[in-house]
Each structure stands twice: as C-alpha cells, then as structure tokens.
Amino acid sequence: MRSTRRETPEVTSECGSDATALTPPEVGNECKRRLSYPATLISILLSIPTFQTIQSQNPKIIDKIKSMLTDASTYILQATKNKLFIRSVKILIPNTWKTNSSYGRPKTESFDKADVIIADPFLQGDDPYTLQYGGCGEKGKYIHLTPNFLLNDRLLRIYGPRGRIFVHEWAHLRWGVFDEYNHDQPYYLSGQRKVEATRWLIQKKAVEYSMFCQRGGSAFDSKDVSINTGLYEEGCLFYPNIEQSVKESIMFAQGLDPFCDKDSHNSEAPNQQNKLCNQQSTWEVIMKSPDMTSTTPLTNTNIPPPVISFLQYRARVVTLVLDISGSMGGYNRISRMYQASEVYIMQIIETGAYLGIVVFSSGAEIKSELVKITDTIQREQLKTLLPKVATGGTNICSGVHSGFEVNKKLDGATYGTEIVLLTDGEDSGISSCFPEVEASGAVIHTIALGPSADKALEQLATMTGGLKLYASDSVDANGLIDAFSGIVSSTGDVTQQSVQVESTTLRVQSSQCLDGTVSIDNTLGNDTFFLVTWDALIPNILLSDPTGKKYVNVQFASDQFSKSARLTIPGTAEIGAWVYSLCNTHSAEQVLGITVNSRAADGKEPPIVAEAYMNADSASYPSPLIVYAIVTKGLSPVLGASVTAVIEAQDGKTTTLDLLDNGAGADILKNDGIYSKYFMSYTGNGRYNLRVRVGSNSDKSKLAAPKNRALYMAGFVVNGTIESNPPRPKPSIDNLNLGNFSRTVSGGAFVVSNVPSGPLPDLYKPNKITDLSAVIQGTQVILKWTATGDDLDQGNATRYDLRMSLSSQELVNNFVNATAVNISYITPKPAGSHEMFTFKPENITISNGTIIYFALIAFDEINHSSDISNLARAVLFLPPPPKPKPAPTPTSKPNSAVSGKMSTIFVFISSLITVMVAIFV
C-alpha cells in the first residue's frame, strides 16, 4: 500500500542566479534559499523477482538515470524559459542490492513518497506514465519508468530522448497538465471541416504527417474514410516526418520542444488538456503554479548538473510507544489497544523487522529493547509485554524520547526508523520535543484514540512524513485494528506486506448471528488469519473453507483480556469463499466483529492492493474534500471494482459513499483504477476517520493498462518512405479478469474545523458535467452525459440548461446568449447515472459537414448553477454515393522489377493540402 503523498516543508532561499532549483532543504549551502522544492526522489523497486532475475543489480541503470536527469535539467530550464532546473536527486537503492559505503541511510524517504518509481511493468510494455488523480493544475502521485525503458536504446526511436520524456512526465506530476494527444480519438473533423490529428496546434505551421491505413493485413486507400463519421477507419496511424520545422509542444510528442502557449493552442482538439483545463494551453496552466509565479528567469544559464545522492534501505526498525495514562482505563481503551497491538505484533509486522515496546504515562518505561522477528517465538514473547493497566498522567515527549533511545540500539542512529505513537490524552508540553523529532530523521506514525487526544499530535506525523490515524471510542467499528493494520513496510515490496481482506462489525441481538463470506483470491493465501472480536462474551464460531472443512471455537486461540480469538491457517489458505457465522451466546446484545488478513501466495506475483486517502489532511468548512481509493495489481489499475468509503466523525456518526471511476464528478479520468467522490457531510469539528472497502463478486473486475501513457510513435516518414516501429506490446497476461476478491484499508485521519452548530445551509452547487457528447443521426441530435448531483457529485440536480451554437467560442464566452434547447421535460437522474436526450434542431439547416457545438449547465433546487460543461461537437457527414464497379480487366503478372507489397499512403501537411502517393515497400 502507498500512503498519502507527503512533501517536505518548503523553505525560502536566495540564489545569486535568481533561478529556482528543484532541491530538498538539506542540499546545497552555496546560497540562501528563497524558494525550494522537494528533490526528485527516485525509488528503484526490485521487489518483483522477474525484475531481480533479469536485471539483478545492474549499474547501467544508475548511469542511465544520471544521463536522463542531466539532460532533463537542461531541458527543463529551456522549457520553463530559464526559470527552473534540477539541483539534486536522491536515488533510493533496494536492500536486495549489495551495500556500498557511499550509500547513505534514508531518513523519511521511502517508496511511498517517491516522485519516480522504477519497476518492471506487470501488464504490458515500457510506456512511461504519470499517475494523476487531481484536476487541472494539481500535482500527481508518481512517475513510473521501467528498467527496459532506461536500458534499451532502441526505445528512443519510439518515445524520444529520455530527458525530454522525463520533462513530459514531470509536467504531469508537478504542474498538473495533461496530454495534447488522445489514444482513443487520434483524429477529428475540425471546424474547417477537415480531418485533423488530435494535437495542440492548428495554425499556419503544424507538424508534417503522413497517414497509413491497413485493414486485414493489407493496405487500403486512405481516402476511404468511414461512411458514418467522415473520419479515418480504426487502425489508421499518423506518421510524423522525421525532420520537423515545428518546435512545440512536448505535451503532444516528447521529441518536440517546449510547451504550447495561448497563441498556438488548439482549443478544439478532443484531448484531456482541453477537457480538464477548460481549453487552456499547457503553458497557461504551468505559469500559474507556485514554481513559476515565485521565480524570475535565470540570467546565467550555465547550470551545474544535478547532485545525485544514493540512499539504501536498511532493516526495518519499529518501536511501539503506547499510552497507559489513567484516561486509557475508560471506554475499554486499554484492552482495545492491547487487542490491536497484539494483531500488529502477531500478524502485521514483517518477518525480519526489529520491534521494540515503550509505554508512557507521567514518565516512560522501556518494556522491550529491539527484537528481530524471525518466527512466532519472538512474536509471542513481545505480546506478553503489552500493557494491561492504565494509570498516571500523560507525557507524550517522554514516550517519544524513549522510543528514539530504543531505535538507536541497532546501529546508533534513528535515521529511517519508525515510531508508532498511540495516545488518548492531552499534553501541553508536546511542542517541547519538536526539535528532537525534526532532527531525528525518524518517521512517527500517530494514532489518536478518542476525542480528547492532543490536537498537536498530528504535527509529529507531519514533521516526519508519518501516517495520521484515528480511532473513535465506538465499539461498533474495528477502527483501532484497522489503523494498526495499515502501518506496513514502505519499501514497496507488497508481496511481504499483510493485506487486510475483511474488517466488519455488527451489533448482534442475543441468539442472533453475524454471517458473511470472505473471498481469498489467488493472489493471497500465505500467513492467513481470522480474528473474531466481541465486547462481552465469546460467540459461537463456525468457519468453513471452500472445501467444506470447518473450524469452531476450539481451533481458535482466545484471549479474554483482549476479547478476541485468532485462527491462523497453516500453509497457503484455500482459494475461494470462506463462510463464517458468529452467533451471540450472551443474554444481551453485543458487538461482534471479524478481521481477516493474508499475505501474497507467491513472491513472483503481486497481490491486489488498495490504498485510500483524502486529498488534504484538513478542511475548513465549507470547503469540500475528495475521497480517493486506488486499486492496483503490480502498479496496473484494477477496473470494475465496487468501492465504498465509510467516514466516521469524532461524534461517532458515519457517512457512506460509493466511490466511482467513471470520469465524472470528483473523478477526472474514467477507467484509471482511481475511484473517488466528494465529501462534505460534516457533522461537527474535530477528527474524522476514513475506511474503504473494495470488492468484486463477478467477472466485471479486470486489469488494464495505465492512463496518461507517453505517446508511442508508430514510426516516421524518412525521405518520403514510411519506417515503422514495432507495434505497441500486447498485455502479457491472457486472462485480465480478476474474479472475486475483497479488501479493506484505512485511509487515515483528517481534521475539520469551523463547522457551525445547528442545521447547515445548502452551499454546494452541482458539479460540472465533463463528458457531454453529441451525435447527429439523420435530422436528429443525440446527446449523452453522466448526471451530476444536487451537491457536487451527490444527489439529484433539479434541471438542466442546454445551449447550442455553430461557434464554439460563443458557448465558451457567451453561454446565456447561445441558442437554448428545450430540455425542461428531462428530470435529472441521480448523480453518476447515464443521461440521454434526443431532439431535432430548429432554425439550423443541417447539411453535409455541419458542425454544431453543445454545452450544458445543471441547477439545484435553490438555483445554484454548475460550471459550463465540456463542449460537445456533433458533425453531420453524408456518405457519397457508391462507386460504380469497374469493368473487369485482364490479369497479368506483376512487373518483376517491382517486389514487395504496395502500401497506399495518404500524405497531408496539416490542414493545407492533401495528396495521394504510392510507395512500394
């Protein structure tokens, strides 16, 4: 699992050059910093054995990274008009590589915070891509490059120079711009009624292209466009001339020069940049970023190469720092802490890690120095040292200090070590240890238990890049167990991590049962355990595996203090449905629960994993937040899953949201494996907890290739001849369906402030519609879109306002004066539903080549209006009459001087001229 993206704090600097360098705060003493940015943190992931087998420890990868980043730094300076360059880079070396005295030790750097991940693809090909989940101008999550992309120089012809590809992806990641091409719609009919490639430019100068179309293995006449659309048939490819006079834009083709600006931008191209950034050019978006607004151009462009440092993972070191103050005796907190800590010790922390235990109240006590986990014996020994009694005051800093002392015992340093800090109390002196925390180089994960945990607790996590977790006092939730289950190794080796398959609770009446099914899919099965919890009396337990084998109470190891019973499945658990029934034997109702965890069945195949987070750690009412859940298998997105978020407020009230991957509402891209929805159902101030459930009970879930992939050049025109590149690789897995699976994951805590008391006013307008489409059929127009909500992407809008025009600019700049279409009889469906509307335009003569533009606005019940939707284009193309059949001609043998197949090439130069030529290949 990857945690919420965190960055080191920005500081100020002043360099003599006045250029802003992309550099971390601790690098570079030659100048005072006016503005600095996190380093390009690269994590080389060697956790997939196929990668280790093929590449092992290949020093050429490091050389290629250095070369790529040096070239990228120069190019970034050029692309940003002498404003930015790369000052330093940290490369995080896996601990499977040989140690080197020049390698430093990571502090808070880890795989889950990397800007760039270098790892083999799980599904297909070597396409560089950036995982983007936010809107226009918002930062992405990471760039993914493959080792073969770095090592195989034959790919340079396909993707372009590596330094330029890096800048293309960096613009996605850092500045939140999008591609100017479109894999799904590579060409369109322009406003001038000419076929154009989906690109950035449609002015006097444009990229010179050729067109090659092939059907059934044979070339065909490219003038034979589709009789339905007037566009080229599927399978037609554009080939750029290898020599170009046009320079921009790198967001179209990585081999071209800097970003497209307002003057050269093609606002009608059907690409993501126009759709998500309201027809703004990439340069307009980049210029609004803090990187650019705070920086003046460099006067001396003789920049040094990036300073590259190497860090290597060491053994994982974790110390539990647990609060045993008097307040922990209330609300059953001490036993719940024992229960969750026991789960962490017995099942969650990885074999090979070092674990210590510290308890604190008015002072601190070391219960256990670091113990290396090698088998169950060490786990059982550590479990016996967990506290069961609560007394005294709360001195958080004493616990943190003792935790550092324990972590130092391994090799004398706290760099890269971890503390799991759990407390329910307030401590006015917590800020006294901030300097020690900042200097430690350690990561502190905080767990706030109950409503009174110190308000400054999360600052410890913020300073160190740790997780921020929260569990309420509600016994109707497994919040504390879920929190501990989410604290896994950050090396990126998911095959060693414990994956939470199920976590559910229910208040059960006497003699009633909690029944359910847990799916163990084929990616899991090792170290599988079932944990049953209760709050009064152990229930009757019946668990059946997929073969019908039954497990009952006597097979479970129970603990009355923690009120839990555990069953560990030896070997690899059976694949399929495990059916459980927990029946309440108590005379009164009680809360029963079950938690199931497992690890990868095979180190060669990564399991399906989910991660969840909010777009921010805090919000001030009425600002909405966005819930995200990313579902992947080996970095490949999982589509078609059912994803549900449960958000619990500090007062115990919960909100359930169905997260969608439909490209509407909070979700920016359809079918990218990122599921999202807005959250604004604030019930009060304080901490909120996020938990997400992911599942599939059908064959709808499947693997897919990532979105936002770099442009794969089909080939080039060289001296008038097509020279094709190898075709894009097909998926390496025949069956992409994933079958039944389930996952639960903690998304951490966030804080909400300024929520007024009493009923809240209706402040949220319907969300913008972003997928409006239009098609002309005969004399009618068919429009389709995804319904928006009453409040952003939730509920039902009240009405729509649909406008049309023959001018796209009129709709964008003067929507209210465009021609209105009567859509009043359409009642908006619930948000996320599919809408369709058919009508016959009036006062517009539809003839061959007619292009009509449409836009839509939604209103809620108090007349809040959404932003104007994306522009939809409806084009009428009347097919020509069928050609008469030619008279039969005598057959003859081909000219022996000509060999090979004749490929028909349709050549055009932008929108200027079109000609037909024949080339023999």
Side-chain angles (χ1 to χ4, degrees):
M1 289 177 288
R2 293 172 54 88
S3 62
T4 306
R5 184 175 182 80
R6 295 174 292 270
E7 296 188 352
T8 52
E10 297 191 352
V11 298
T12 60
S13 77
E14 174 108 17
C15 295
S17 64
D18 278 338
T20 295
L22 305 179
T23 175
E26 66 270 18
V27 175
N29 296 319
E30 67 273 15
C31 62
K32 295 179 180 178
R33 282 179 291 281
R34 182 179 56 199
L35 186 66
S36 69
Y37 306 94
T40 304
L41 177 59
I42 298 178
S43 178
I44 301 178
L45 177 61
L46 291 174
S47 61
I48 301 177
T50 51
F51 182 11
Q52 296 176 10
T53 301
I54 296 170
Q55 305 296 349
S56 187
Q57 182 172 344
N58 192 334
K60 291 183 179 179
I61 292 179
I62 300 300
D63 294 336
K64 293 291 188 179
I65 291 172
K66 289 180 178 179
S67 175
M68 175 184 69
L69 294 171
T70 299
D71 293 344
S73 183
T74 301
Y75 186 46
I76 284 179
L77 188 69
Q78 174 191 349
T80 59
K81 300 182 180 180
N82 298 336
K83 284 195 170 188
L84 304 174
F85 64 97
I86 300 174
R87 173 69 59 75
S88 65
V89 178
K90 295 179 182 179
I91 299 179
L92 195 54
I93 303 295
N95 54 16
T96 54
W97 283 27
K98 294 180 180 179
T99 59
N100 188 303
S101 59
S102 65
Y103 295 165
R105 181 169 177 172
K107 295 181 182 178
T108 60
E109 299 88 356
S110 62
F111 169 85
D112 61 324
K113 303 184 191 78
D115 293 307
V116 182
I117 297 172
I118 297 176
D120 272 331
F122 179 69
L123 188 60
Q124 73 177 88
D126 296 291
D127 292 341
Y129 71 89
T130 301
L131 186 66
Q132 291 180 271
Y133 54 87
C136 184
E138 297 183 27
K139 294 177 183 178
K141 196 166 183 63
Y142 60 79
I143 297 168
H144 178 207
L145 306 176
T146 70
N148 191 50
F149 166 79
L150 292 168
L151 296 171
N152 188 351
D153 288 344
R154 287 178 294 181
L155 296 178
L156 295 175
R157 177 180 171 87
I158 294 173
Y159 297 111
R162 293 188 185 94
R164 296 193 174 211
I165 295 169
F166 183 87
V167 176
H168 173 97
E169 300 303 332
W170 184 263
H172 284 308
L173 179 75
R174 184 72 184 181
W175 301 312
V177 296
F178 295 87
D179 292 322
E180 294 168 338
Y181 49 86
N182 188 333
H183 292 297
D184 299 324
Q185 191 175 348
Y187 29 79
Y188 68 100
L189 197 63
S190 73
Q192 288 73 40
R193 293 163 176 77
K194 296 180 179 179
V195 178
E196 291 286 354
T198 300
R199 60 182 188 269
W200 80 102
L201 189 61
I202 193 169
Q203 302 289 330
K204 293 181 179 179
K205 57 177 183 176
V207 168
E208 298 165 352
Y209 269 92
S210 294
M211 180 77 175
F212 178 71
C213 296
Q214 199 165 22
R215 179 190 295 129
S218 302
F220 66 89
D221 190 335
S222 297
K223 281 185 176 178
D224 291 339
V225 297
S226 168
I227 63 172
N228 297 316
T229 66
L231 300 176
Y232 303 116
E233 297 279 3
E234 182 178 356
C236 293
L237 300 173
F238 288 93
Y239 288 73
N241 288 348
I242 200 163
E243 298 294 335
Q244 292 286 340
S245 58
V246 175
K247 299 301 180 183
E248 67 274 319
S249 161
I250 194 173
M251 297 313 294
F252 171 72
Q254 299 91 215
L256 296 177
D257 279 336
F259 303 101
C260 179
D261 60 21
K262 183 177 181 180
D263 293 335
S264 57
H265 179 61
N266 175 13
S267 62
E268 70 173 6
N271 55 37
Q272 292 294 340
Q273 176 63 27
N274 279 330
K275 175 184 174 181
L276 297 174
C277 293
N278 294 323
Q279 284 74 44
Q280 294 180 92
S281 69
T282 54
W283 184 244
E284 289 177 275
V285 176
I286 292 170
M287 282 298 293
K288 296 175 183 177
S289 71
D291 293 356
M292 303 299 289
T293 58
S294 305
T295 309
T296 56
L298 184 69
T299 55
N300 179 6
T301 58
N302 185 23
I303 59 172
V307 176
I308 298 179
S309 57
F310 300 93
L311 308 172
Q312 188 173 35
Y313 286 117
R314 309 291 174 87
R316 190 182 186 200
V317 175
V318 182
T319 293
L320 301 181
V321 179
L322 307 175
D323 187 352
I324 58 168
S325 63
S327 57
M328 288 291 293
Y331 300 97
N332 207 27
R333 291 173 186 167
I334 192 73
S335 62
R336 290 170 57 218
M337 181 179 72
Y338 180 99
Q339 181 188 82
S341 300
E342 179 190 31
V343 170
Y344 185 77
I345 293 171
M346 297 301 298
Q347 304 292 158
I348 305 302
I349 192 165
E350 301 81 7
T351 297
Y354 291 83
L355 183 64
I357 300 175
V358 169
V359 297
F360 70 93
S361 55
S362 302
E365 178 188 358
I366 297 173
K367 301 292 288 186
S368 174
E369 300 287 0
L370 294 175
V371 174
K372 186 175 183 179
I373 306 294
T374 58
D375 54 36
T376 305
I377 295 175
Q378 292 81 29
R379 297 180 188 270
E380 290 285 357
Q381 289 174 343
L382 288 166
K383 170 188 168 183
T384 63
L385 300 175
L386 289 173
K388 297 181 179 181
V389 178
T391 183
T394 303
N395 188 337
I396 294 173
C397 285
S398 69
V400 171
H401 177 76
S402 294
F404 288 153
E405 292 301 312
V406 172
N407 286 354
K408 285 180 183 178
K409 298 293 176 63
L410 184 64
D411 60 9
T414 56
Y415 287 179
T417 65
E418 299 171 66
I419 282 178
V420 178
L421 173 62
L422 183 150
T423 183
D424 73 336
E426 294 180 300
D427 180 3
S428 60
I430 189 173
S431 61
S432 65
C433 56
F434 285 0
E436 181 184 14
V437 168
E438 287 183 308
S440 69
V443 175
I444 300 180
H445 309 295
T446 59
I447 303 177
L449 179 56
S452 301
D454 198 283
K455 301 298 185 290
L457 185 64
E458 282 80 8
Q459 292 186 45
L460 298 175
T462 299
M463 286 188 285
T464 63
L467 298 172
K468 302 169 186 175
L469 304 163
Y470 167 68
S472 73
D473 285 324
S474 172
V475 296
D476 293 354
N478 277 339
L480 204 51
I481 293 175
D482 296 342
F484 271 95
S485 296
I487 306 173
V488 295
S489 169
S490 59
T491 63
D493 189 353
V494 295
T495 64
Q496 299 302 312
Q497 294 176 358
S498 181
V499 177
Q500 193 175 66
V501 180
E502 177 66 279
S503 177
T504 188
T505 60
L506 182 68
R507 189 171 292 276
V508 179
Q509 298 294 321
S510 178
S511 302
Q512 299 300 306
C513 302
L514 168 59
D515 299 324
T517 301
V518 176
S519 294
I520 301 295
D521 58 274
N522 61 4
T523 68
L524 296 176
N526 284 344
D527 198 16
T528 303
F529 78 92
F530 291 78
L531 180 75
V532 174
T533 59
W534 60 90
D535 65 3
L537 185 66
I538 185 171
N540 279 338
I541 304 171
L542 176 61
L543 174 68
S544 302
D545 76 6
T547 68
K549 182 178 180 179
K550 292 179 169 47
Y551 301 86
V552 294
N553 290 54
V554 294
Q555 276 99 14
F556 282 73
S558 62
D559 185 318
Q560 186 55 41
F561 180 79
S562 65
K563 294 184 174 61
S564 64
R566 175 185 295 102
L567 172 69
T568 300
I569 305 299
T572 302
E574 293 287 343
I575 298 172
W578 291 67
V579 180
Y580 63 85
S581 180
L582 311 178
C583 295
N584 183 11
T585 59
H586 190 45
S587 58
E589 71 170 15
Q590 66 170 332
V591 174
L592 303 179
I594 185 168
T595 301
V596 184
N597 279 57
S598 187
R599 298 187 199 270
D602 186 346
K604 296 180 181 180
E605 183 175 358
I608 300 167
V609 296
E611 60 172 316
Y613 50 90
M614 309 297 294
N615 67 315
D617 292 333
S618 63
S620 176
Y621 176 85
S623 297
L625 290 169
I626 301 177
V627 188
Y628 292 111
I630 302 179
V631 188
T632 57
K633 177 179 167 65
L635 296 180
S636 296
V638 173
L639 311 184
S642 174
V643 184
T644 303
V646 178
I647 298 174
E648 182 186 18
Q650 191 162 289
D651 59 8
K653 296 179 181 177
T654 60
T655 300
T656 301
L657 299 172
D658 291 326
L659 309 187
L660 301 177
D661 182 18
N662 62 352
D667 193 70
I668 63 166
L669 294 177
K670 184 177 181 179
N671 292 335
D672 62 353
I674 303 175
Y675 302 76
S676 55
K677 184 157 283 188
Y678 283 102
F679 172 69
M680 58 281 185
S681 300
Y682 304 131
T683 60
N685 296 310
R687 294 182 176 97
Y688 287 65
N689 175 59
L690 168 66
R691 183 168 63 91
V692 167
R693 172 185 290 272
V694 179
S696 174
N697 295 315
S698 65
D699 291 331
K700 292 182 179 180
S701 294
K702 62 181 181 179
L703 285 175
K707 295 282 189 179
N708 285 349
R709 294 175 289 166
L711 185 64
Y712 191 103
M713 284 294 182
F716 295 90
V717 180
V718 182
N719 296 324
T721 302
I722 292 285
E723 292 186 2
S724 294
N725 290 322
R728 186 190 294 272
K730 295 182 178 180
S732 56
I733 301 174
D734 294 331
N735 185 8
L736 300 179
N737 292 327
L738 296 173
N740 294 350
F741 69 89
S742 62
R743 301 289 186 270
T744 60
V745 61
S746 171
F750 59 96
V751 178
V752 176
S753 59
N754 297 322
V755 179
S757 59
L760 300 179
D762 184 352
L763 300 177
Y764 303 103
K765 64 183 182 181
N767 208 67
K768 174 183 175 178
I769 294 167
T770 58
D771 62 350
L772 180 66
S773 64
V775 175
I776 296 177
Q777 288 188 358
T779 60
Q780 292 189 317
V781 177
I782 301 174
L783 295 115
K784 296 180 181 180
W785 67 95
T786 301
T788 186
D790 174 83
D791 297 324
L792 298 175
D793 57 2
Q794 294 161 48
N796 294 55
T798 301
R799 63 184 178 90
Y800 293 119
D801 183 358
L802 176 65
R803 305 277 170 154
M804 67 179 182
S805 175
L806 298 177
S807 167
S808 61
Q809 290 303 310
E810 180 182 21
L811 281 177
V812 172
N813 300 325
N814 201 4
F815 177 87
V816 295
N817 288 329
T819 301
V821 178
N822 183 10
I823 198 174
S824 59
Y825 60 89
I826 294 292
T827 300
K829 296 179 181 179
S833 303
H834 297 296
E835 299 269 30
M836 185 172 72
F837 175 66
T838 302
F839 78 105
K840 182 178 181 179
E842 299 177 357
N843 303 321
I844 292 181
T845 301
I846 300 180
S847 59
N848 195 21
T850 295
I851 301 177
I852 309 175
Y853 297 90
F854 296 89
L856 189 65
I857 285 179
F859 292 85
D860 69 7
E861 58 189 1
I862 61 171
N863 225 33
H864 286 148
S865 64
S866 70
D867 293 337
I868 300 173
S869 72
N870 66 297
L871 295 186
R873 299 154 40 92
V875 182
L876 177 65
F877 177 78
L878 300 178
K883 297 179 181 179
K885 294 183 178 180
T889 56
T891 59
S892 61
K893 295 182 178 181
N895 189 332
S896 60
V898 178
S899 62
K901 296 180 180 179
M902 186 176 80
S903 295
T904 303
I905 310 299
F906 174 54
V907 179
F908 72 92
I909 300 176
S910 185
S911 58
L912 304 180
I913 59 173
T914 60
V915 297
M916 287 294 297
V917 299
I919 299 177
F920 290 92
V921 295

